[in-house]
Amino acid sequence: MKTILEIKNATKKFGGLVANEDVSFSVQEGEIVGVVGPNGAGKTTLFNSISGAHSLTSGNIIFNGIDITKKKSYKICKLGVGRTFQIPQSLNDMTVLDNVLVASLNRFKTVEEAKAHTEKVIAMCGLAAFIYMNAGDLNVMQKKRLEIARALATQPTLLLLDETMAGLSGVERKEAINLIRRIRTSGISILMIEHVMEVVMSVSDRVIVLTSGKLLAEGTPEEVTGNPEVIRAYLGGKTI
């Protein structure tokens, strides 16, 4: 199996604060890898480093054999890394169509081609009925889906999902899980931050556990949830 992402000894410091310290793991092509850990564990900081929002203090990030450690975010996106944000970053005064179209134009030279691609992505994400609605008028679930659609519109081979289940009901989570599985089936590898353990258990091939910025454990969902150190640090001493 081909390795699509390698995190090598990733360390990120903000002054005296060490947000990530010597984190190393990889993502294989076609995998869904979950990243879990308590608040403040350094999960989103790691995503920001992968996507180019900021550079690592030390260490390397290799995507498809290319060192992207110091690359700008737009160049990383062009290479095939898409991401969502925990708090949706939609353009609220623009329609769903135009929000996704802006992202599609990252890949297509003409508006016509970009629009055709945009409509396919919107339909895949279950937003076809809201295509001409302003993003600011969407509910939480719809905004989460729009966030995913905007990332998918850039045609990533690796998708970073940052807590896409936060604020969703049980039924909405099941629908979101089905969408994540469809995305993987389309050939996109997924690295996802998630606090809802039910979701992590049901969709992840492997799970990475961070605590205090460090890698605590890595393994299958079953291995991780049975790990005594993980139970103490993340699950509050309770097994699932």
Coordinates of all heavy atoms in Angstrom, one line a residue, residues 58-136:
S58 N 10.2 22.3 13.9 CA 11.2 21.3 13.4 C 10.4 20.0 13.0 O 9.3 19.9 13.3 CB 12.2 20.9 14.5 OG 11.6 20.3 15.6
G59 N 11.1 19.2 12.2 CA 10.5 18.0 11.7 C 10.0 18.2 10.2 O 10.3 19.3 9.6
N60 N 9.4 17.2 9.6 CA 9.0 17.3 8.2 C 7.7 16.7 8.0 O 7.2 15.7 8.7 CB 10.1 16.5 7.4 CG 11.4 17.1 7.4 OD1 12.2 16.8 8.3 ND2 11.7 18.1 6.5
I61 N 7.0 17.2 6.9 CA 5.7 16.6 6.5 C 5.9 16.3 5.0 O 6.2 17.2 4.2 CB 4.6 17.6 6.7 CG1 4.4 17.9 8.2 CG2 3.3 17.0 6.1 CD1 3.4 19.1 8.4
I62 N 5.7 15.0 4.7 CA 5.9 14.5 3.3 C 4.6 14.1 2.7 O 3.9 13.3 3.3 CB 6.9 13.3 3.2 CG1 8.2 13.6 4.0 CG2 7.2 13.0 1.8 CD1 9.0 14.8 3.5
F63 N 4.1 14.7 1.6 CA 2.9 14.3 1.0 C 3.2 13.8 -0.4 O 3.8 14.5 -1.2 CB 1.9 15.6 0.9 CG 0.7 15.3 0.1 CD1 -0.3 14.4 0.6 CD2 0.5 15.9 -1.1 CE1 -1.4 14.2 -0.1 CE2 -0.7 15.7 -1.8 CZ -1.6 14.8 -1.3
N64 N 2.8 12.6 -0.7 CA 3.0 11.9 -2.0 C 4.5 12.1 -2.4 O 4.8 12.3 -3.6 CB 2.1 12.5 -3.0 CG 0.8 11.7 -3.2 OD1 0.8 10.5 -2.8 ND2 -0.2 12.3 -3.7
G65 N 5.4 11.9 -1.4 CA 6.8 12.0 -1.7 C 7.4 13.3 -1.8 O 8.6 13.5 -2.1
I66 N 6.6 14.4 -1.6 CA 7.0 15.8 -1.7 C 7.1 16.4 -0.3 O 6.1 16.3 0.4 CB 6.1 16.6 -2.6 CG1 6.1 16.0 -4.0 CG2 6.6 18.1 -2.7 CD1 5.1 16.6 -5.0
D67 N 8.2 17.0 0.0 CA 8.3 17.7 1.3 C 7.5 19.0 1.3 O 7.9 19.9 0.5 CB 9.8 17.9 1.6 CG 10.0 18.4 3.1 OD1 9.1 19.1 3.6 OD2 11.0 18.0 3.7
I68 N 6.4 19.0 2.0 CA 5.6 20.2 2.0 C 5.7 21.1 3.3 O 5.0 22.0 3.5 CB 4.1 19.9 1.8 CG1 3.6 19.0 3.0 CG2 3.9 19.1 0.5 CD1 2.1 18.7 3.0
T69 N 6.8 20.8 4.1 CA 6.9 21.4 5.4 C 6.9 22.9 5.3 O 6.3 23.5 6.2 CB 8.3 20.9 6.0 OG1 8.4 19.5 5.9 CG2 8.3 21.4 7.5
K70 N 7.5 23.5 4.3 CA 7.6 24.9 4.3 C 6.8 25.6 3.2 O 6.9 26.8 2.9 CB 9.1 25.3 4.0 CG 10.1 24.8 5.1 CD 9.8 25.5 6.5 CE 10.9 25.0 7.5 NZ 10.6 25.6 8.8
K71 N 6.0 24.8 2.5 CA 5.2 25.3 1.4 C 4.0 26.1 1.9 O 3.4 25.9 3.0 CB 4.7 24.1 0.5 CG 5.8 23.5 -0.3 CD 5.3 22.5 -1.3 CE 6.4 21.9 -2.1 NZ 7.1 22.8 -2.9
K72 N 3.6 27.0 1.0 CA 2.4 27.9 1.3 C 1.1 27.0 1.2 O 1.1 26.0 0.5 CB 2.3 29.0 0.3 CG 3.5 30.0 0.4 CD 3.6 30.7 1.7 CE 4.7 31.8 1.7 NZ 4.8 32.4 3.0
S73 N 0.1 27.4 1.9 CA -1.2 26.7 1.9 C -1.8 26.5 0.5 O -2.3 25.4 0.2 CB -2.2 27.3 2.8 OG -2.4 28.6 2.5
Y74 N -1.7 27.5 -0.3 CA -2.3 27.3 -1.7 C -1.6 26.3 -2.5 O -2.2 25.6 -3.4 CB -2.5 28.7 -2.4 CG -1.2 29.3 -2.8 CD1 -0.7 29.1 -4.1 CD2 -0.4 30.1 -2.0 CE1 0.5 29.6 -4.6 CE2 0.7 30.7 -2.4 CZ 1.2 30.5 -3.7 OH 2.4 31.0 -4.1
K75 N -0.3 26.2 -2.3 CA 0.5 25.3 -3.1 C 0.2 23.8 -2.6 O 0.2 22.9 -3.3 CB 2.0 25.6 -3.0 CG 2.4 26.9 -3.7 CD 3.9 27.1 -3.7 CE 4.3 28.3 -4.5 NZ 5.7 28.5 -4.5
I76 N 0.1 23.7 -1.3 CA -0.3 22.4 -0.7 C -1.6 22.0 -1.2 O -1.9 20.8 -1.5 CB -0.2 22.5 0.9 CG1 1.2 22.7 1.3 CG2 -0.8 21.2 1.5 CD1 1.4 23.0 2.8
C77 N -2.6 22.9 -1.3 CA -3.9 22.6 -1.8 C -3.8 22.1 -3.3 O -4.4 21.1 -3.7 CB -4.8 23.8 -1.7 SG -6.5 23.6 -2.3
K78 N -3.0 22.8 -4.1 CA -2.8 22.4 -5.5 C -2.2 21.0 -5.6 O -2.5 20.3 -6.5 CB -1.8 23.4 -6.1 CG -2.5 24.7 -6.5 CD -3.3 24.6 -7.8 CE -3.7 26.0 -8.3 NZ -4.5 25.9 -9.5
L79 N -1.4 20.6 -4.6 CA -0.8 19.3 -4.7 C -1.8 18.2 -4.3 O -1.6 17.0 -4.6 CB 0.4 19.2 -3.7 CG 1.7 20.0 -4.1 CD1 2.7 20.0 -2.9 CD2 2.3 19.3 -5.3
G80 N -2.9 18.6 -3.7 CA -3.9 17.6 -3.4 C -4.3 17.4 -2.0 O -4.9 16.3 -1.6
V81 N -4.1 18.4 -1.1 CA -4.5 18.3 0.3 C -5.7 19.3 0.5 O -5.5 20.5 0.3 CB -3.4 18.7 1.3 CG1 -3.9 18.6 2.7 CG2 -2.2 17.7 1.1
G82 N -6.8 18.8 0.9 CA -8.0 19.6 1.2 C -8.3 19.5 2.7 O -8.0 18.5 3.3
R83 N -8.9 20.6 3.2 CA -9.2 20.5 4.7 C -10.5 21.3 5.0 O -10.9 22.2 4.2 CB -8.1 21.1 5.5 CG -8.0 22.6 5.5 CD -7.1 23.2 6.6 NE -7.7 22.9 7.9 CZ -7.2 23.3 9.1 NH1 -6.1 24.0 9.1 NH2 -7.8 23.1 10.2
T84 N -11.1 20.9 6.1 CA -12.2 21.6 6.6 C -11.8 22.2 7.9 O -10.7 21.9 8.4 CB -13.4 20.7 6.9 OG1 -13.1 19.8 8.0 CG2 -13.8 19.9 5.7
F85 N -12.6 23.1 8.5 CA -12.3 23.8 9.7 C -13.4 23.4 10.8 O -14.6 23.2 10.4 CB -12.2 25.3 9.6 CG -11.1 25.7 8.7 CD1 -11.1 25.7 7.3 CD2 -9.9 26.1 9.3 CE1 -10.1 26.1 6.6 CE2 -8.8 26.5 8.6 CZ -8.9 26.5 7.2
Q86 N -13.0 23.4 12.0 CA -13.9 23.0 13.1 C -15.1 24.0 13.1 O -16.3 23.6 13.3 CB -13.2 23.0 14.4 CG -14.0 22.6 15.6 CD -13.2 22.6 16.9 OE1 -12.0 22.7 16.9 NE2 -13.9 22.5 18.0
I87 N -14.8 25.3 12.9 CA -15.9 26.3 12.8 C -16.0 26.6 11.3 O -15.0 27.1 10.7 CB -15.5 27.6 13.6 CG1 -15.4 27.2 15.1 CG2 -16.6 28.6 13.4 CD1 -14.9 28.4 15.9
P88 N -17.1 26.3 10.7 CA -17.2 26.5 9.2 C -16.8 27.9 8.8 O -17.1 28.9 9.4 CB -18.7 26.3 9.0 CG -19.1 25.3 10.0 CD -18.3 25.7 11.2
Q89 N -16.0 27.9 7.7 CA -15.5 29.2 7.1 C -16.2 29.6 5.9 O -15.6 30.2 5.0 CB -14.0 29.0 6.8 CG -13.2 28.5 8.0 CD -13.0 29.6 9.1 OE1 -12.7 30.7 8.8 NE2 -13.4 29.2 10.3
S90 N -17.5 29.4 5.8 CA -18.3 29.7 4.6 C -18.4 31.2 4.4 O -18.3 32.0 5.3 CB -19.7 29.1 4.6 OG -20.3 29.4 5.8
L91 N -18.6 31.6 3.1 CA -18.8 33.0 2.8 C -20.3 33.2 2.9 O -21.1 32.9 1.9 CB -18.3 33.2 1.3 CG -16.8 32.9 1.2 CD1 -16.4 32.9 -0.3 CD2 -16.0 33.9 1.9
N92 N -20.8 33.7 4.0 CA -22.2 33.7 4.4 C -23.1 34.5 3.5 O -24.3 34.2 3.4 CB -22.4 34.1 5.8 CG -21.9 33.0 6.8 OD1 -21.9 31.9 6.5 ND2 -21.5 33.5 8.0
D93 N -22.6 35.5 2.8 CA -23.4 36.3 1.9 C -23.5 35.8 0.5 O -24.0 36.5 -0.4 CB -22.9 37.8 1.9 CG -23.2 38.4 3.3 OD1 -24.1 38.0 4.0 OD2 -22.4 39.3 3.7
M94 N -22.8 34.7 0.3 CA -22.8 34.0 -1.1 C -23.6 32.7 -1.0 O -23.8 32.1 0.0 CB -21.4 33.8 -1.5 CG -20.6 35.0 -1.8 SD -18.8 34.7 -2.1 CE -18.9 33.7 -3.5
T95 N -24.1 32.3 -2.2 CA -24.9 31.1 -2.2 C -24.0 29.9 -2.0 O -22.8 29.9 -2.1 CB -25.6 30.9 -3.6 OG1 -24.6 30.8 -4.6 CG2 -26.5 32.1 -3.9
V96 N -24.7 28.7 -1.8 CA -23.9 27.5 -1.7 C -23.2 27.2 -3.0 O -22.0 26.8 -3.0 CB -24.9 26.3 -1.4 CG1 -24.3 25.0 -1.6 CG2 -25.5 26.4 0.0
L97 N -23.8 27.4 -4.1 CA -23.2 27.3 -5.4 C -21.9 28.1 -5.5 O -20.9 27.6 -5.9 CB -24.2 27.7 -6.5 CG -23.6 27.7 -8.0 CD1 -23.2 26.2 -8.4 CD2 -24.6 28.3 -8.9
D98 N -22.0 29.4 -5.2 CA -20.8 30.2 -5.4 C -19.7 29.9 -4.3 O -18.5 30.0 -4.7 CB -21.2 31.7 -5.2 CG -22.0 32.2 -6.4 OD1 -21.9 31.5 -7.5 OD2 -22.7 33.2 -6.3
N99 N -20.1 29.5 -3.1 CA -19.1 29.1 -2.2 C -18.2 27.9 -2.7 O -17.0 27.9 -2.6 CB -19.8 28.6 -0.9 CG -19.9 29.7 0.2 OD1 -19.0 29.8 1.0 ND2 -20.9 30.5 0.1
V100 N -18.9 26.9 -3.3 CA -18.2 25.7 -3.8 C -17.5 26.1 -5.1 O -16.4 25.6 -5.4 CB -19.1 24.5 -3.9 CG1 -18.4 23.3 -4.4 CG2 -19.8 24.3 -2.6
L101 N -18.1 26.9 -5.9 CA -17.5 27.3 -7.2 C -16.1 28.0 -7.0 O -15.2 27.8 -7.7 CB -18.5 28.3 -7.9 CG -18.0 28.8 -9.3 CD1 -17.8 27.6 -10.3 CD2 -19.0 29.7 -9.9
V102 N -16.0 28.8 -6.0 CA -14.8 29.5 -5.7 C -13.7 28.4 -5.5 O -12.5 28.6 -6.0 CB -14.9 30.4 -4.4 CG1 -13.5 30.8 -3.9 CG2 -15.8 31.6 -4.7
A103 N -14.0 27.4 -4.7 CA -13.0 26.3 -4.5 C -12.7 25.5 -5.8 O -11.6 25.2 -6.1 CB -13.5 25.4 -3.4
S104 N -13.8 25.3 -6.6 CA -13.6 24.5 -7.9 C -12.6 25.3 -8.8 O -11.9 24.6 -9.6 CB -14.9 24.3 -8.5 OG -15.7 23.4 -7.8
L105 N -12.7 26.6 -8.8 CA -11.8 27.4 -9.7 C -10.3 27.2 -9.4 O -9.5 27.6 -10.2 CB -12.2 28.9 -9.6 CG -13.5 29.2 -10.3 CD1 -14.0 30.6 -9.9 CD2 -13.4 29.0 -11.8
N106 N -10.0 26.6 -8.3 CA -8.6 26.2 -8.0 C -8.1 25.1 -8.9 O -6.9 25.0 -9.1 CB -8.6 25.7 -6.5 CG -7.2 25.3 -6.1 OD1 -6.3 26.1 -6.0 ND2 -6.9 24.0 -5.9
R107 N -9.1 24.4 -9.5 CA -8.7 23.3 -10.4 C -9.0 23.4 -11.9 O -8.4 22.8 -12.7 CB -9.4 22.0 -9.9 CG -8.8 21.4 -8.6 CD -7.5 20.9 -8.8 NE -6.9 20.4 -7.6 CZ -5.6 20.0 -7.5 NH1 -4.8 20.2 -8.5 NH2 -5.2 19.6 -6.3
F108 N -10.0 24.2 -12.2 CA -10.5 24.3 -13.5 C -10.3 25.7 -14.1 O -10.4 26.7 -13.4 CB -12.0 24.0 -13.6 CG -12.3 22.6 -13.2 CD1 -12.6 22.3 -11.8 CD2 -12.3 21.6 -14.1 CE1 -12.9 21.0 -11.4 CE2 -12.6 20.3 -13.7 CZ -12.9 20.0 -12.4
K109 N -10.0 25.7 -15.4 CA -9.6 27.0 -16.1 C -10.8 27.8 -16.5 O -10.7 29.0 -16.6 CB -8.7 26.7 -17.3 CG -7.4 26.1 -17.0 CD -6.5 25.8 -18.2 CE -5.1 25.2 -17.8 NZ -4.3 25.0 -19.0
T110 N -11.9 27.1 -16.8 CA -13.1 27.9 -17.2 C -14.2 27.8 -16.2 O -14.3 26.8 -15.4 CB -13.6 27.4 -18.5 OG1 -14.2 26.1 -18.4 CG2 -12.5 27.3 -19.6
V111 N -15.0 28.8 -16.1 CA -16.2 28.8 -15.1 C -17.1 27.7 -15.5 O -17.7 27.1 -14.6 CB -16.9 30.2 -15.2 CG1 -18.1 30.1 -14.3 CG2 -15.9 31.3 -14.7
E112 N -17.3 27.4 -16.7 CA -18.2 26.3 -17.1 C -17.8 25.0 -16.6 O -18.6 24.2 -16.0 CB -18.3 26.3 -18.7 CG -19.0 27.4 -19.3 CD -18.2 28.7 -19.4 OE1 -16.9 28.6 -19.2 OE2 -18.8 29.8 -19.6
E113 N -16.5 24.7 -16.7 CA -16.0 23.4 -16.2 C -16.1 23.4 -14.7 O -16.5 22.4 -14.1 CB -14.5 23.2 -16.6 CG -14.3 22.9 -18.1 CD -12.8 22.9 -18.4 OE1 -12.1 23.7 -17.9 OE2 -12.5 22.0 -19.2
A114 N -15.7 24.5 -14.1 CA -15.8 24.6 -12.6 C -17.2 24.4 -12.1 O -17.5 23.8 -11.1 CB -15.2 25.9 -12.1
K115 N -18.2 25.0 -12.8 CA -19.6 24.9 -12.4 C -20.1 23.5 -12.5 O -20.8 23.1 -11.6 CB -20.4 25.9 -13.2 CG -21.9 26.0 -12.7 CD -22.7 27.1 -13.4 CE -24.1 27.2 -12.8 NZ -24.9 28.1 -13.6
A116 N -19.8 22.8 -13.5 CA -20.2 21.4 -13.7 C -19.7 20.6 -12.6 O -20.4 19.7 -12.0 CB -19.7 20.9 -15.0
H117 N -18.4 20.8 -12.2 CA -17.8 20.0 -11.1 C -18.4 20.4 -9.8 O -18.7 19.5 -9.0 CB -16.3 20.3 -11.1 CG -15.6 19.7 -9.9 ND1 -15.4 18.4 -9.7 CD2 -14.9 20.3 -8.8 CE1 -14.8 18.1 -8.6 NE2 -14.5 19.3 -8.1
T118 N -18.7 21.7 -9.6 CA -19.3 22.2 -8.4 C -20.7 21.5 -8.2 O -21.0 21.1 -7.0 CB -19.5 23.7 -8.5 OG1 -18.2 24.3 -8.5 CG2 -20.3 24.3 -7.3
E119 N -21.5 21.4 -9.2 CA -22.8 20.8 -9.0 C -22.7 19.4 -8.7 O -23.6 18.9 -7.9 CB -23.6 21.0 -10.3 CG -24.0 22.5 -10.6 CD -24.6 22.8 -12.0 OE1 -24.5 21.8 -12.8 OE2 -25.1 23.9 -12.2
K120 N -21.7 18.7 -9.2 CA -21.6 17.2 -8.8 C -21.2 17.1 -7.3 O -21.7 16.3 -6.6 CB -20.5 16.6 -9.7 CG -20.9 16.4 -11.1 CD -19.7 15.8 -11.9 CE -20.1 15.6 -13.4 NZ -18.9 15.1 -14.2
V121 N -20.3 18.0 -6.9 CA -19.8 17.9 -5.5 C -21.0 18.3 -4.5 O -21.2 17.6 -3.5 CB -18.6 18.9 -5.3 CG1 -18.3 19.0 -3.8 CG2 -17.4 18.4 -6.0
I122 N -21.7 19.3 -4.9 CA -22.9 19.7 -4.1 C -23.9 18.6 -3.9 O -24.4 18.3 -2.8 CB -23.5 21.0 -4.6 CG1 -22.6 22.2 -4.4 CG2 -24.9 21.2 -4.0 CD1 -23.1 23.5 -5.1
A123 N -24.2 17.9 -5.0 CA -25.1 16.8 -5.0 C -24.5 15.6 -4.1 O -25.3 15.0 -3.4 CB -25.3 16.3 -6.4
M124 N -23.2 15.3 -4.3 CA -22.6 14.3 -3.5 C -22.8 14.6 -2.0 O -22.9 13.6 -1.2 CB -21.2 14.2 -3.8 CG -20.4 13.1 -3.1 SD -18.6 13.0 -3.5 CE -18.1 11.7 -2.4
C125 N -22.7 15.8 -1.6 CA -22.7 16.2 -0.2 C -24.2 16.5 0.3 O -24.4 16.9 1.4 CB -21.9 17.5 0.0 SG -20.1 17.2 -0.2
G126 N -25.2 16.2 -0.5 CA -26.5 16.3 -0.1 C -27.1 17.7 0.0 O -28.0 17.9 0.8
L127 N -26.5 18.6 -0.8 CA -26.9 20.0 -0.7 C -27.6 20.5 -1.9 O -27.8 21.7 -2.0 CB -25.7 20.9 -0.4 CG -25.0 20.7 1.0 CD1 -23.7 21.4 1.0 CD2 -25.9 21.1 2.1
A128 N -28.0 19.6 -2.8 CA -28.6 20.1 -4.1 C -29.8 20.9 -3.9 O -30.1 21.9 -4.6 CB -28.9 18.9 -5.0
A129 N -30.6 20.6 -2.8 CA -31.8 21.4 -2.6 C -31.6 22.8 -2.1 O -32.5 23.6 -2.0 CB -32.7 20.6 -1.6
F130 N -30.3 23.1 -1.7 CA -30.0 24.4 -1.1 C -29.0 25.1 -1.9 O -28.4 26.1 -1.5 CB -29.4 24.1 0.3 CG -30.2 23.2 1.2 CD1 -29.8 21.9 1.3 CD2 -31.3 23.6 1.8 CE1 -30.5 21.0 2.1 CE2 -32.1 22.7 2.6 CZ -31.7 21.4 2.7
I131 N -28.8 24.7 -3.2 CA -27.8 25.2 -4.0 C -27.8 26.8 -4.2 O -26.8 27.4 -4.3 CB -27.8 24.5 -5.4 CG1 -26.5 24.8 -6.2 CG2 -29.0 24.8 -6.2 CD1 -26.3 23.9 -7.4
Y132 N -29.0 27.3 -4.2 CA -29.1 28.8 -4.4 C -29.4 29.6 -3.1 O -29.7 30.7 -3.1 CB -30.2 29.1 -5.4 CG -29.9 28.5 -6.8 CD1 -30.6 27.5 -7.4 CD2 -28.7 29.0 -7.5 CE1 -30.3 27.0 -8.6 CE2 -28.4 28.4 -8.7 CZ -29.2 27.4 -9.3 OH -28.9 26.9 -10.5
M133 N -29.3 28.8 -2.0 CA -29.5 29.5 -0.7 C -28.2 30.1 -0.2 O -27.1 29.6 -0.5 CB -30.0 28.4 0.3 CG -30.3 29.0 1.7 SD -30.8 27.7 2.9 CE -32.4 27.2 2.2
N134 N -28.3 31.2 0.5 CA -27.1 31.8 1.0 C -26.5 30.9 2.1 O -27.3 30.4 2.9 CB -27.4 33.2 1.6 CG -27.4 34.3 0.5 OD1 -27.2 34.0 -0.6 ND2 -27.6 35.5 0.9
A135 N -25.2 30.8 2.2 CA -24.6 30.0 3.2 C -25.0 30.3 4.6 O -25.1 29.5 5.5 CB -23.1 30.0 3.0
G136 N -25.2 31.6 4.8 CA -25.5 32.1 6.2 C -26.9 31.6 6.7 O -27.2 31.7 7.9

